[in-house]
Amino acid sequence: MASNLAWEIVDGLTTEVGPRLAGTEADHRAVEWAKRQLETLSFDKVWLERIEFPVWTRHHESAGVVSPFPQKLHITALGYSGSTQGEVTADVAGFASLEALQDAPLEQVKDKIVFINHFTERTRTGSGYSDSVKVRYEAGLIAEEKGAIAVMIRSIGTDSHRFPHTGVSTLAKEPLPAVALSAPDADQLARIMARSEAVKISLNVKIDYREAGHSWNVIAQVNGRETPEKLVLVGAHLDSWDLGTGALDDGAGVAITTAAAHLIGELPRKPRSSIRLVLFGNEEAGLWGAKQYVTANADTLRNHIYASESDFGAGAIWRFDTDNPVLMDTAMPVLEALGIEKGEAASSGGPDIVPLEEKGVRIFRLRQEGSDYFDYHHTADDTLDKIDPEQLKQNVAAWAVVTYLAAEIDE
Amino acid sequence: MASNLAWEIVDGLTTEVGPRLAGTEADHRAVEWAKRQLETLSFDKVWLERIEFPVWTRHHESAGVVSPFPQKLHITALGYSGSTQGEVTADVAGFASLEALQDAPLEQVKDKIVFINHFTERTRTGSGYSDSVKVRYEAGLIAEEKGAIAVMIRSIGTDSHRFPHTGVSTLAKEPLPAVALSAPDADQLARIMARSEAVKISLNVKIDYREAGHSWNVIAQVNGRETPEKLVLVGAHLDSWDLGTGALDDGAGVAITTAAAHLIGELPRKPRSSIRLVLFGNEEAGLWGAKQYVTANADTLRNHIYASESDFGAGAIWRFDTDNPVLMDTAMPVLEALGIEKGEAASSGGPDIVPLEEKGVRIFRLRQEGSDYFDYHHTADDTLDKIDPEQLKQNVAAWAVVTYLAAEIDE
């Protein structure tokens, strides 16, 4: 709780690099920055692991109501969206949900701009997001099948500010232009549609796509004192969306897990097994770094005792989840002092841990208060001022304790 | 409290017109819209009063840190800002206040982009804004005198969201490009400047300016039953900035005062004197409508018993200010039931009332809770969802009571 390192890391990354969309020059600066930082900290080894993936970037996007009530709409293109051919104008076909779009007859959709006004519920655990994100992934595919010319979704977010939320859609050969409206703009469009049968929208989206992009997973390790070949993997993702500075998503996770691993590295007596910190590359566009990690480390996955990622902002941790009663009982007396309650078997280790979990690696989870996480997630407003330094410290303390114990306990 | 009219008005104006910068086609649609609405309500007469003024509009604005840490900055051009000649790049000279800029030697400012990082304090009364707004008015003039090429100010606002706040600067012959940074961007730039002696910024601002613009004050009257030539003037301003839909500024005021005047017009027994509703044109760029009203009505200003404007959002009214003990004592029993306390002599009747006050017209004031008003003020985020329908109703009730009594009391 005394260390200010996590704040220094997230302050540094978001200020000195800022937005860092995977595969861009800014992302490569982030990799340089992270490697340089890790080399000054208490790790025994720091290395890079190359990842290859296609790179989607935005040029510009704009939209407006043309009739009956001309006005601008605030939008952002979704990752893997296609471009319009200059500005296009079309009638809007509105739906309350993905299911309603799925059920719609072709003639209701053909040659129109589809608008899906699906709401995302605010919950502590972020379950509202999980329930809604399918709209972002699938709206474009379904709309295209039915002959639409573009798709607009209400942002997958819980705020009512004029920030559209970006995020990845589905990688396709010839994708429709796919954009998100901010919540107030989605409300506005719904009010306009309630007043008029024929609402015309103009849309102009230009994106760039190149097949051959790359980045790196940035990896560092604190070697264990007895069984250094065995390891507990903790991490976060280094890349961010292009709109904000990626403070909550996922500068905070980078800062928390790096600081926790560093604190363990500073101990005079290292834990039995190793701690491996992985700052994953290109999480946002589809877990490219996480998948590459599993491929590149296939031979040693059996040595991964545990894996867990911090990728849910900077809210205080309120619960510890593990299926290991020894780890739970050893950790809880310390975690209780940090205001953390005893949980159950972890249902997820974080997005970048999914490929490891699928290979049988055990997970634990430190659950964060996330009621406001989806207010900022994937928006321009994901900036450093949204992080509470005290809550960040509580995260570091909890991660240091659990990571240490997971590497120390001899089963 | 039972009437839903104010909500219907602000919902209609912000949805069916949206942003309505004075002198633009959207503003002219707003005038049409307002006139049409007033003609359906309980007024004896509705008329327009033409106003002429220059029209400033934005084409585009963008800015970024070029070095040492390249990244975009979120800005908005201030009203009456000049243009850059395409994109310009220059070193930044930072100041904590207008005074610090004033005291700076020429060589510290010449050929640079000036950045003023002055904070606006959050207060219930909005006094933080009054203390800060001088920066917006004067920064460009002072920076120009000292040979700067442009000026950037921290937004005059109280939020920490990535919305820059626009607002008028000073009308000048050859104005400097003048822009506001959002609060998170101002913090970011300050952090970057703390890390580096030489910070280079790029700036690209293009605006349009034409001398001969026009709009109208939209006026309606409920005639008094005994002395109809005497009148109580209540109002708000119809124009808004171009970024948001002008829900709080000043759709709410339009809705509140229109609904209050209409409710009085519906009474079987009208008050002794008339109620005149004035929806002022072009408040934002310098009280053009308010000044024109005083000129056009010079002969009858002595018949204006009272004047007051609602132009502080949609927060609940908490205090009634008047220097008239009879009006105070008659109104207070009803206002107390609305949660409103007894105040003192009014120190202001609202911005559009200033020219009337200067001619000796008496004012009253219904003070609103304004702690969050400057979170949204002059930003893209000033939208309908920021208005609480119940607080809007409380405003209407208070305005109806005080306006009625001001026109009824025989002194």
Side-chain angles (χ1 to χ4, degrees), chain A residues 228-246:
Chain A
E229 73 286 359
K230 291 194 174 178
L231 62 94
V232 172
L233 184 156
V234 296
H237 64 85
L238 187 59
D239 66 309
S240 79
W241 278 102
D242 52 341
L243 303 179
T245 62

Side-chain angles (χ1 to χ4, degrees), chain B residues 236-253:
Chain B
H237 64 86
L238 187 58
D239 66 309
S240 79
W241 278 101
D242 52 342
L243 303 179
T245 62
L248 294 170
D249 186 17
D250 185 21

Side-chain angles (χ1 to χ4, degrees), chain B residues 139-199:
Chain B
L141 299 179
I142 301 171
E144 186 164 36
E145 272 172 26
K146 293 182 183 259
I149 63 160
V151 65
M152 306 179 93
I153 65 169
R154 182 189 187 92
S155 281
I156 310 301
T158 49
D159 61 302
S160 192
H161 289 300
R162 210 125 175 240
F163 295 114
H165 297 235
T166 191
V168 81
S169 60
T170 303
L171 185 56
K173 259 243 146 73
E174 290 185 14
L176 279 196
V179 304
L181 285 167
S182 84
D185 288 86
D187 290 343
Q188 180 82 334
L189 182 54
R191 277 191 296 270
I192 292 172
M193 293 178 75
R195 281 163 162 91
S196 171
E197 298 262 306
V199 175

Side-chain angles (χ1 to χ4, degrees), chain B residues 74-76 78 115-121 128-129 132-133 135-136 152-159 161-167 179-187 243 374-375 377-379:
Chain B
H74 283 222
I75 63 163
T76 187
L78 298 177
F115 166 48
I116 301 184
N117 198 19
H118 177 96
F119 285 72
T120 301
E121 203 192 338
Y129 179 77
S132 297
V133 71
V135 177
R136 204 181 69 209
M152 306 179 93
I153 65 169
R154 182 189 187 92
S155 281
I156 310 301
T158 49
D159 61 302
H161 289 300
R162 210 125 175 240
F163 295 114
H165 297 235
T166 191
V179 304
L181 285 167
S182 84
D185 288 86
D187 290 343
L243 303 179
F374 293 106
D375 289 355
H377 182 252
H378 295 185
T379 71

Side-chain angles (χ1 to χ4, degrees), chain B residues 22-44:
Chain B
T24 63
E25 181 271 337
D27 175 49
H28 293 179
R29 278 190 284 125
V31 168
E32 275 297 303
W33 187 95
K35 183 164 177 282
R36 215 163 53 232
Q37 293 297 316
L38 296 180
E39 283 166 351
T40 68
L41 299 175
S42 64
F43 294 99
D44 295 300

Side-chain angles (χ1 to χ4, degrees), chain A residues 178-256:
Chain A
V179 304
L181 285 167
S182 84
D185 288 87
D187 290 342
Q188 181 82 334
L189 182 54
R191 278 191 296 269
I192 292 172
M193 293 179 75
R195 281 162 161 90
S196 170
E197 299 263 305
V199 176
K200 268 196 201 315
I201 295 277
S202 66
L203 188 64
N204 192 337
V205 180
K206 185 155 182 256
I207 65 95
D208 187 46
Y209 182 83
R210 60 189 166 89
E211 283 293 340
H214 68 277
S215 186
W216 294 268
N217 293 326
V218 183
I219 310 178
Q221 189 160 311
V222 174
N223 291 332
R225 71 171 192 279
E226 284 185 14
T227 51
E229 73 286 359
K230 291 194 174 178
L231 62 94
V232 172
L233 184 156
V234 296
H237 64 85
L238 187 59
D239 66 309
S240 79
W241 278 102
D242 52 341
L243 303 179
T245 62
L248 294 170
D249 185 17
D250 185 21
V254 167
I256 290 162

Side-chain angles (χ1 to χ4, degrees), chain B residues 150-309:
Chain B
V151 65
M152 306 179 93
I153 65 169
R154 182 189 187 92
S155 281
I156 310 301
T158 49
D159 61 302
S160 192
H161 289 300
R162 210 125 175 240
F163 295 114
H165 297 235
T166 191
V168 81
S169 60
T170 303
L171 185 56
K173 259 243 146 73
E174 290 185 14
L176 279 196
V179 304
L181 285 167
S182 84
D185 288 86
D187 290 343
Q188 180 82 334
L189 182 54
R191 277 191 296 270
I192 292 172
M193 293 178 75
R195 281 163 162 91
S196 171
E197 298 262 306
V199 175
K200 268 198 202 314
I201 294 279
S202 66
L203 187 65
N204 192 336
V205 179
K206 184 155 182 255
I207 65 94
D208 187 46
Y209 182 82
R210 59 189 165 90
E211 282 293 339
H214 68 276
S215 186
W216 294 268
N217 293 326
V218 183
I219 310 179
Q221 190 159 309
V222 174
N223 291 333
R225 72 171 190 278
E226 283 186 14
T227 51
E229 74 287 359
K230 290 193 174 178
L231 62 94
V232 172
L233 185 156
V234 295
H237 64 86
L238 187 58
D239 66 309
S240 79
W241 278 101
D242 52 342
L243 303 179
T245 62
L248 294 170
D249 186 17
D250 185 21
V254 167
I256 291 162
T257 54
T258 300
H262 166 77
L263 290 173
I264 296 169
E266 278 202 315
L267 294 174
R269 186 166 174 272
K270 304 291 181 288
R272 208 176 299 272
S273 299
S274 297
I275 311 292
R276 182 175 290 178
L277 174 75
V278 184
L279 305 181
F280 292 97
N282 201 355
E283 185 268 349
E284 292 295 3
L287 309 181
W288 293 88
K291 289 171 186 166
Q292 176 58 23
Y293 181 87
V294 167
T295 304
N297 298 276
D299 294 347
T300 58
L301 289 185
R302 86 187 71 85
N303 291 334
H304 288 58
I305 313 176
Y306 274 104
S308 190
E309 180 178 35

